[in-house]
Every structure is written in structure tokens, then in C-alpha cells.
Amino acid sequence: MYTHHQQISIGGAPAANAKGALIMLHGRGASASDMMQLAGQLNTKEMTIYAPQATNSSWYPYSFLAPVQENEPALSSAIALIDEVVAKALADDFTADKIYFAGFSQGACLTLEYITRNAKQYGGAVAFTGGLIGEEINLGNYKGDFAGTPVLITTGDPDPHVPVSRVEESVAILQGMNADVTLKVYKGRPHTITHNEIVLANQHVFV
């Protein structure tokens, strides 16, 4: 098992001039540079982009639906690394309501897990194909109030890695914590990010 080292790519607008911070989490087998390319398709020209890199290009070893202990210590290490990235954004003078999150697949699961464990009014979040982590959802992990934070969650039906039932369960939990959630399910969509999802992200979160 592995832990994550602090490797963070930073791009976009310089923090001193930026209107917001965007923390981007890549999928399994992908990289921080992939997320930097994705940022170029989003309305993020006036944002500072923070993209951490997972050790071995994977945030945790098994499915997000595996028992949590099987994905430890990697999962806790990943959560801690996001905490460090958030701390860096705060140190760069971004308040929480100016901090945004976006992730794909494994990175989308991690995005939702992090923000729901640390709910507050963020700028917004996008989970391209993801749900809350664990064989069973542990409601005891989640606390706080999103105070209307816009959250977009998209997925395919069926998706080879993320069941729609878990996505819907996750949506209900975030809504119960006062997130303004938009869910879009695409019938027969492959495990990817489509142009339509980029458009939705720009309409609902990166406005």
C-alpha cells in the first residue's frame, strides 16, 4: 500500500490576480497534466489551477465500492493531500467560497468524498462520473453545511465503474447538506467526459 507525496502542478492565472482557485483531481491511470488540459475547456481563465498528482497515478488501489479498509492507507493519504492543497489555496488568499473542485472518475469520487467530509460554502464542484466512497456509505464521515454550493454530478448509465444507484444516493446526501446539486445521467455513454458535460459544468458551476 502507498501514501501520496505532495506533488502539485499549479497553472492558470497567478493567485494574486485570480478570481478563484480550482482543485482538479485526475482519474486512475491519468495525471495532473491531463487535468490541466481539461481546465482549458472550462471557464477557468481567471482561476488559479491546483492539480495534485497521485502516487502510482492512482488515488486508492481498489474500486471506490470496496470496503474502505481495503483502500487504506492510500485513501486517507489522498484526503490529507487534498487538505494540503486547500490549505495552499487558503494561504494564497482564496476564501473557501472562492475554491472550486473538479474530478473525473476516481478523482470525482475523491472530490465528492472530500467536500462532503468538509462541507461548507465552496465556489462549486464538478464530479464527472463519481459517487461517495465505501462498500456502504458511512454517514458519520460527513458533516457541515454546503450553504447552497453548486455541485454538478454526471455519469453514464450503465457505467462500468460507477453504478447509478450510488450516484443517486450521493446526490441525496449532498442535497441533505444544502448543496445545490444538478445530476445528469447519460444513457449508454462510455466512461469519458463528453462535450455536453463540459457545457453543463460551465453553465452550472464555472459561470
Side-chain angles (χ1 to χ4, degrees), residues 35-202:
M35 299 312 282
M36 286 292 184
Q37 290 183 334
L38 176 62
Q41 301 177 58
L42 300 168
N43 290 337
T44 57
K45 288 184 175 60
E46 295 181 306
M47 288 187 177
T48 303
I49 313 299
Y50 301 83
Q53 175 65 46
T55 299
N56 301 331
S57 298
S58 179
W59 293 110
Y60 42 86
Y62 301 111
S63 165
F64 83 112
L65 297 171
V68 165
Q69 61 269 25
E70 292 184 11
N71 277 318
E72 294 292 7
L75 176 59
S76 290
S77 178
I79 295 283
L81 177 57
I82 302 170
D83 239 354
E84 291 177 28
V85 182
V86 169
K88 180 159 183 52
L90 292 169
D92 286 340
D93 285 336
F94 295 107
T95 52
D97 64 331
K98 300 295 184 188
I99 298 176
Y100 295 73
F101 298 83
F104 170 62
S105 190
Q106 196 185 51
C109 296
L110 195 56
T111 292
L112 291 175
E113 188 69 18
Y114 179 83
I115 65 171
T116 312
R117 289 187 185 201
N118 301 277
K120 53 176 67 77
Q121 186 178 4
Y122 295 112
V126 180
F128 294 114
T129 311
L132 293 170
I133 295 173
E135 184 178 31
E136 303 288 338
I137 288 180
N138 180 2
L139 293 174
N141 284 337
Y142 308 128
K143 57 187 181 297
D145 188 321
F146 283 111
T149 298
V151 179
L152 172 66
I153 304 176
T154 62
T155 197
D157 181 18
D159 182 88
H161 305 290
V162 181
V164 173
S165 58
R166 174 55 62 92
V167 176
E168 291 172 339
E169 198 179 354
S170 303
V171 167
I173 290 167
L174 270 76
Q175 286 175 331
M177 297 170 71
N178 295 320
D180 181 10
V181 183
T182 300
L183 169 64
K184 181 68 176 176
V185 180
Y186 298 89
K187 289 289 183 186
R189 189 215 63 185
H191 191 72
T192 187
I193 302 172
T194 63
H195 173 70
N196 187 252
E197 289 166 89
I198 297 291
V199 171
L200 278 182
N202 287 332

